[in-house]
Amino acid sequence: MVRPRGKKFMADVTVGGVRKRITFDTMGEARAFESSATKGLPLIHSLAFKRFHEENFKYLWGDNKAPIASLHALHALDKFIPAWTLITDIKTPFIMGVIAKMQKAHASNATINRRLSALSRLLRHAERLEIIPKRPHIEFLKEPHGRERVLSSSEEKSMDKYFKHMGLEKSWALSFFLLYTGCRLGEALSLTRDRVDGHRVTFHYSLTKNSKTRVVPLVGPALDAWYLVCGLSEDERPFGSLSRNTYRGHWMRFKTHMGLWDDDEFVPHMLRHTCASRLVSKGVPLPQVMLWMGHTSMQTTLRYSHLAPEDLVKAAEALWPD
């Protein structure tokens, strides 16, 4: 029950068999507290934006695969939404203004969309608690198709130094294995010892309804990474001893260390993209790159064709008579 008490408002509820009577400055906050208590959700003590997302973070994102990324998205929103802004005041025109501010700060469309996604989830929660009658419409921005980000040589050196300095040996091994084989994260985590024969590794993978295999050379840092992780783990799946969430957490720490926490394309899958880009830029024919990467369509491999500008020049030489 919510009732006025002087110039304030009191929420009188029972939580876990214990009666609670808490006074709030506004009727909205008192009703929000009552609603959350009645539904067994995290108790709402304030409708101010910053405190609201802090109180509800664990409930909304605690089981997320990448909670740190969501936390960064909310912290970024704190720069554009004043902490005291009431959740009830965040409506479509207000959100459009926030988007304009983020664009003025040169945030990419993908970065803006990630922040809007966090805001949308927060507002959906407010709707569920009947704090707002309906979640406002959010117009997400168009994003370019596919990833373009690759790991530079200087970033590779930083990755090498960071994981070694932090003592994250398995994450070091996994990162360089992904980079120098171009395999998918799931393929590395499920890789068994019997699939490595000398300097070759066989990946078994399933896309749509087809199950296929491909053999990739295992040399340089990839070979070093494999021997290292095999020495660190007795598991039949050496990389599998490092959970996906743990690795992503380590990657996020590295990303933050690099000052790139707001770069939405600086993700582990970028290592696979980097591998393909390097193969093409060094003149490896596209059909061979297709086999190496395990692409099921040449159209996927052709995304990298612009990295080999000399190919057509060499091909043109075949037109001239001997």
Side-chain angles (χ1 to χ4, degrees):
M1 176 185 294
V2 174
R3 61 177 182 271
R5 181 166 183 172
K7 294 183 179 181
K8 296 182 180 294
F9 300 87
M10 175 180 286
D12 190 343
V13 299
T14 300
V15 180
V18 179
R19 186 179 184 185
K20 291 181 178 290
R21 289 182 291 181
I22 301 179
T23 302
F24 297 89
D25 291 332
T26 68
M27 174 68 81
E29 290 174 328
R31 285 180 174 171
F33 183 88
E34 179 189 41
S35 178
S36 59
T38 302
K39 297 181 179 181
L41 299 174
L43 299 179
I44 306 300
H45 295 87
S46 174
L47 296 183
F49 176 72
K50 183 175 177 61
R51 189 173 176 185
F52 186 80
H53 74 65
E54 289 176 343
E55 287 184 341
N56 291 278
F57 181 82
K58 186 175 181 179
Y59 173 76
L60 293 174
W61 287 280
D63 295 330
N64 193 290
K65 289 184 178 180
I68 299 178
S70 299
L71 184 63
H72 282 316
L74 291 168
H75 285 171
L77 283 171
D78 286 335
K79 298 178 182 178
F80 300 96
I81 301 177
W84 58 84
T85 304
L86 297 178
I87 289 294
T88 52
D89 291 337
I90 300 180
K91 300 177 181 178
T92 299
F94 180 90
I95 295 172
M96 293 175 64
V98 171
I99 293 174
K101 291 179 183 178
M102 290 191 285
Q103 290 176 322
K104 189 174 181 180
H106 305 294
S108 69
N109 285 5
T111 296
I112 293 174
N113 283 344
R114 189 175 70 253
R115 296 169 181 173
L116 291 177
S117 178
L119 178 60
S120 178
R121 190 168 186 177
L122 202 65
L123 292 172
R124 183 186 293 276
H125 183 55
E127 180 183 4
R128 186 186 304 120
L129 289 171
E130 299 178 355
I131 295 171
I132 56 178
K134 184 179 180 181
R135 182 180 52 163
H137 174 72
I138 297 179
E139 189 73 34
F140 288 87
L141 306 181
K142 291 184 178 179
E143 298 182 28
H145 178 69
R147 298 185 186 277
E148 297 294 335
R149 185 73 156 84
V150 296
L151 191 75
S152 68
S153 58
S154 62
E155 288 171 341
E156 180 181 345
K157 292 177 182 177
S158 296
M159 182 174 73
D160 177 45
K161 292 180 180 178
Y162 177 80
F163 284 127
K164 286 181 177 177
H165 177 73
M166 298 301 293
L168 303 174
E169 294 178 296
K170 290 183 180 179
S171 289
W172 177 91
L174 181 53
S175 297
F176 277 88
F177 190 82
L178 295 174
L179 177 60
Y180 281 87
T181 64
C183 72
R184 302 170 181 86
L185 178 57
E187 291 173 341
L189 295 178
S190 63
L191 182 65
T192 54
R193 294 173 185 267
D194 61 344
R195 294 183 189 173
V196 176
D197 179 18
H199 288 192
R200 299 190 309 170
V201 55
T202 300
F203 293 111
H204 296 260
Y205 60 103
S206 297
L207 294 175
T208 62
K209 297 181 180 179
N210 300 317
S211 180
K212 298 186 177 183
T213 63
R214 71 181 188 280
V215 180
V216 173
L218 193 60
V219 295
L223 188 62
D224 294 339
W226 176 250
Y227 283 137
L228 174 62
V229 76
C230 285
L232 293 173
S233 171
E234 296 182 355
D235 290 2
E236 179 61 20
R237 293 178 171 80
F239 286 118
S241 62
L242 179 68
S243 75
R244 187 184 295 262
N245 285 347
T246 298
Y247 176 62
R248 283 177 170 166
H250 292 171
W251 181 269
M252 183 58 69
R253 285 163 58 183
F254 166 57
K255 183 176 178 179
T256 302
H257 167 76
M258 293 288 289
L260 299 170
W261 63 268
D262 210 24
D263 186 341
D264 56 281
E265 292 196 351
F266 197 86
V267 295
H269 191 74
M270 173 187 67
L271 300 174
R272 173 174 165 82
H273 183 68
T274 302
C275 179
S277 298
R278 290 182 180 181
L279 289 173
V280 175
S281 65
K282 292 296 183 179
V284 178
L286 293 181
Q288 291 183 22
V289 176
M290 178 182 176
L291 292 174
W292 183 304
M293 303 304 295
H295 293 154
T296 57
S297 169
M298 179 57 76
Q299 288 299 118
T300 303
T301 314
L302 284 173
R303 291 172 50 199
Y304 305 96
S305 60
H306 67 284
L307 299 173
E310 298 300 320
D311 280 1
L312 293 181
V313 175
K314 293 178 182 179
E317 295 176 359
L319 297 175
W320 298 102
D322 294 333

